[in-house]
Amino acid sequence: MNLPPHSAERDPDFSGAASAALLRELRDILTPESLITDRELLRPYECDGLSAYRRLPFAVALPEDEAQVVAILVACHRAGVPIVPRGAGTGLSAGSMPHPQGVLLSLTKLNRILKLDPVARVAVVQTGARNLAISEAAAPHGLYYAPDPSSQIACTIGGNVAENSGGVHCLKYGLTMQNVLRVRMVTIEGEILELGSHALDAPGYDLLPLVIGSEGLLGIVTEVTVRLTPKPQMAQVIMASFDDVRKAGEAVAAVIAAGIIPAGLEMMDQGAAAAVEPFVKAGYDLEAKAILLCESDGTAEEVAEEVGRMRGVLEHSGATDLRVSRNEAERLRFWAGRKAAFPSAGRISPDYYCMDGTIPKKGLGEMLTAIAAMETKYGLRCINVFHAGDGNLHPLILYDANIPGQLERTEAFGAEILRLSVALGGTITGEHGVGFEKIHSMCEQFSTDELKAFHAVKGAFDPPGLLNPVKAIPSLHRCAEMGRMHVHHGELKFPELERL
Amino acid sequence: MSLAAFRERILARRPLCLRGGGSKDFYGGPLVGERLDVGGYQGIVGYEPSELVMTARAGTPLAELEAALAERGQWMAFEPPAFGGAATLGGAVASGLSGPGRTSCGALRDFVLGAKIMDGEGRELTFGGQVMKNVAGFDVSRLMAGTLGTLGLILEVSFKVLPIPVGQASLRFQLSQDKALDLMNRWAGKPLPVTATSWEEQLLTVRLAGAEAAVQSACGALGGQRLPEAEAAAHWAGLKEQSHAFFAGEAPLWRLSVPSIAGPLPLAGIPLIEWGGAQRWLRGDYAPAQVRAVAQKAGGHATLFRGGDRAAGVFMPLPGPLAAIHQRLKAVFDPHGVFNPGRLLLEL
Ligand SMILES: Cc1cc2nc3c(=O)[nH]c(=O)nc-3n(C[C@H](O)[C@H](O)[C@H](O)COP(=O)(O)OP(=O)(O)OC[C@H]3O[C@@H](n4cnc5c(N)ncnc54)[C@H](O)[C@@H]3O)c2cc1C
C-alpha cells in the first residue's frame, strides 16, 4: 500500500490554505456565538497553562456536538487549514497553543456525562467533561475516577486522554491509560473511530495506547468511557522530614523495595515547602531539606498494617520527624500544600516554569545535586516537587519574564534538566506532554529513524498532517537546525556534568 | 541469533513466521512464511527491584524471568500464560494475553514500559523506556502488545513488576451463573481486595490478595468456603495455563470478551467465566457467525482461541475506517509485508 506523502523532513507550510472559503463554511456549520474571529475575543485562547508561548489563531470554533466536529474537520480538510484541539487549556506544554493559520477547536461545550453505570463501573462522558465532575457524579455510588491531576477541577477528560495525565495517586491506580476503556474520535477525514470497548479488549491492534498521550495529533476525541474505581474506605498519609535530599530519595526506593506500593508517594524540597506553607498552612517542617508524603489507603486494618510498615522503612531511612494524619481533615491539609505547589510558585515569583522529566528513582539524588548547581549557573532559583514514587520530577524554575534574558536562561535551564533526565535513563516528559514547548528536546531522546516512525504513524491517522501541526514530534530539519543530538539511552555519558 | 542475522532475514523480504518458544503456535491465523526463531535471543538486560522494572531480550523464557523476580519477592502481576514451558517474553507481549488478575491489576499492555523492535526495513527502533511515566512520542511499545508479531520483530521489552502480595486466600461458593455474575459485579464495585474470579459448573471461586489484614477481613465479609492453599494455587494456575479440565480435549475453544455485566449468553453449552464476567470461554463446534453475533450483541467480540478452522480468520473483522488505519500502520512498520502475514487479521 502506498502511503500518502507526509513530510518528516520540514515543518509544514500552510500559507496557501483556503481560509476565506473555510470561514464561509464554518458560518454554515456553527451558530454565530460558536465562531470567534474578532481579535480581542481570540485573546483568551492565545495560550494554555504555559503562558510563555502565545499565538492568536485564525478563528476559534466551539462545536456543540459531534456532528459539528465532523463537519468542521471535513471543511478544514478540504481547505487545507490546520486544527488545534483544546480542552480547558490547562496543559503545561503549549499543546493547545493555536496555530496562526489554523482553527482552534475548543471542545468545552461537549461537556456532558452521558451515562454512569455503577454496576458496570463505567462512565461514558463527552470529551469536554471535567475530570472532577466525573468523580463527583460517581461519588453517590461509592466510586470515583482514579487519575487526579492537580488541575482536576478544570481540566477535561479529552485533555487527560491527549496527555495521558496522571495524578498523585497514579503510582497505585495508574494513569489515564489504565483507566480508560474506550475512546471515540473523529479523524481529519471525518470518519468516526471507536477504539477499545466496554469489554476489556477489542479485536485488531490495541490502538488505545497509541491514541492516549497523542496530544491531539491523531484525531479529535469526542467521547470517552472511563473505568470507575471503588473509593477506598479510608486513607492516611505519613509526612516524613529528612535533613538531606539524597536520604529522602533513598527512602523512596526503600519503601518500594520493601514491597509496598503506596497510594501516593510525593516529595517536596525545602524551597517548595517554604513556598507553599504561607498559603496553605499545612504545618510543613520548614527545617527539613526534603519532605515525603507517603499515603496508604484501603480498609482500616489494611491501612494500619501498611502505615506501620511504611513508618518502619522511613525511620530506618533516617527520617528526622514523622507525622501520621490523625483524621481526614488533617490528611487533606498535608496534601493541600503539595497540590497547591504550582499556584504557590506563581505567588512567590512573577513567573515559573514547570519541568516534567522522569528518571529512574535511583537518580533522584544526582538530579537534585545537579539542579542545585544549575541554579548557580543560570542565576535562577528552582524549587522541586516530585511524584517521587514513579520518578516524575516537577522542578519549578522561578523567573521574571519582564527582565530581559530571564526567559531565555530559564529555557536553557529547563532544557539542561531534560537532557540530564534522558542521560540518567529517563524521559523528557512524564505527564505534561511534549507540545510545542519540548519539541526540541525530542531530538535528544529519539533517533532520526524513531522520529520518522512517529511521523509515519501520524500520517496513518492524519495523512494531510493538519491536526496540531508542529507539536510533539519535531521535523528532522528542526532537529538539525537546533544542533540537538540524540543521547541514545545513556550511551553518550552525561556530557553536561563536566560543564557544571 | 544476532541482530545482524535478524536483519539479514528481514531484508530478504520474504514472509517470515516469528517464533519464540512456539507455545502459542495454535493462536491466531495459520502460520505462514519461513520460520525465524527468536528463542535464542535471550537474557535479562536489567533488573532493579526498587525501580519495579525489568528489561529482557525477547527470547528469554518467562520461567527464567519469573524465577529471577521471585528471588526478590516480585512478580509479573499480569500473569502471562506460558501454555507449556517454552514461552518467551517476546511471545507473551506479541500475543498480549493477560492472566486471571486482569480486572484488578490491568492487562499485559499496561505493564509494558518500553520496547526495542526491528522494523520491516531492518531498523532498530526504541520506544517508551524504563520509567513508569513517559509520554514522549507515541506509545508504540504498548501498541506491540497483541499484534501477534505483525508490526515488527520485538527484540527487547521493559516491563513493570510488582511485589508479590503478602496475604492471599481463595474462597468458593456454590451458585448459578446468573447469581455468580451478579455477585462478581457487585464485589468489583466495593473496595475489596478481589484479584481474580472464576465460575464454572455452579462454582464461583474468588481470589483475594493484598495486605494480610485486608484479606482476612474480606474473608469474613464474603463468607464461602476457604480453599486449601495448594488447591487454590492449582485452580488459578489451571485457568492461566489452560490446564484446567474445561480446556481438555479437541473441541474448538471460543473466547468471548464482553462487558462484565452481560447476562448469561444465549449460546448452547455452559461457559467458564473469568475476569468478573468479562471473559467467557466456550467449547464446541459453533458457527463462527453465531458466536460473533452473540458477542457483538452483548457489546464485545469473539475469538476462535484454539482449534477449529483457522483459515477463515479467528478474530472478528474490523469496521472499514478502523481496518484502513490498520493497513496504514502495517505499511509504516512492515512495508514489505514480511512479518507474520495473516496471523492477526487476514488482510495484514
Ligand atoms: C495547576 C496545574 C496543575 C496540573 N497538575 C497536573 C498533574 O498533577 N498531572 C498531570 O498529568 N497534569 C497536570 N497538569 C497539566 C494539565 O492539567 C493536563 O495536561 C490536562 O490533562 C490538560 O487538560 P485540558 O483539558 O486543560 O487540555 P488542554 O490544555 O486544552 O489540551 C491539552 C492537549 O490535549 C489536546 N486535546 C484537548 N482536547 C482534545 C480532544 N478532544 N481531542 C484531541 N486532542 C485534544 C490539545 O490539543 C493539547 O495538545 C496541571 C496543570 C496545571 C495548570
Side-chain angles (χ1 to χ4, degrees), chain A residues 65-85:
Chain A
D65 57 31
E66 185 183 80
Q68 290 187 348
V69 173
V70 172
I72 294 168
L73 289 184
V74 169
C76 286
H77 187 195
R78 197 164 29 229
V81 168
I83 296 171
V84 176

Side-chain angles (χ1 to χ4, degrees), chain A residues 121 177 200-201 205-206 209 230 256 259 301-302 305 358 360-362 387 392 427 429 431 449-450 454 460, chain B residues 48 50-51 102 109 123 126 133-135 139 150-151 185 188 212-214 217 255 257 260 301 326 328:
Chain A
R121 294 146 277 124
M177 172 74 237
L200 290 174
D201 41 49
Y205 295 148
D206 187 350
I256 306 282
E301 306 93 325
E302 194 175 4
E305 179 183 319
T358 303
K361 287 183 286 287
K362 61 170 185 261
H387 301 299
N392 186 196
T427 176
T429 172
E431 59 179 12
D449 282 343
E450 288 152 5
F454 288 146
Chain B
E48 302 258 2
S50 66
E51 304 287 340
R102 167 68 180 93
R109 70 111 141 92
R123 290 181 292 218
T126 304
K133 286 167 89 178
N134 185 355
V135 292
D139 195 348
T150 55
L151 283 187
N185 278 290
E212 192 62 54
S217 75
R255 171 180 183 266
S257 171
S260 63
H301 65 106
H326 278 64
R328 293 182 198 161

Side-chain angles (χ1 to χ4, degrees), chain A residues 53-71:
Chain A
Y53 301 98
R54 294 165 198 262
R55 291 210 182 131
L56 283 184
F58 152 69
V60 173
L62 296 115
E64 282 159 40
D65 57 31
E66 185 183 80
Q68 290 187 348
V69 173
V70 172

Side-chain angles (χ1 to χ4, degrees), chain B residues 177 199 201-202 246 267-272 281-283 286:
Chain B
Q177 188 181 164
W199 179 88
E201 294 185 35
Q202 313 300 319
F246 179 90
L267 285 164
I270 298 177
L272 183 148
W281 302 96
L282 275 172
R283 302 300 303 270
Y286 296 93

Side-chain angles (χ1 to χ4, degrees), chain A residues 48-49 84-92 95-96 107 127 148-151 154-168 215-217 219-222 338 342-343 352 387 394 431-432 468:
Chain A
D48 65 5
V84 176
R86 175 183 166 109
T90 66
L92 291 172
S96 57
L107 294 147
T127 183
D148 57 343
S150 306
S151 53
C155 65
T156 66
I157 192 71
N160 292 175
V161 165
E163 305 289 12
N164 191 17
S165 302
V168 293
E215 305 194 25
L217 269 70
I220 303 299
V221 175
T222 53
R338 168 60 191 90
F342 298 177
Y352 70 92
H387 301 299
H394 291 322
E431 59 179 12
H432 294 165
N468 218 0

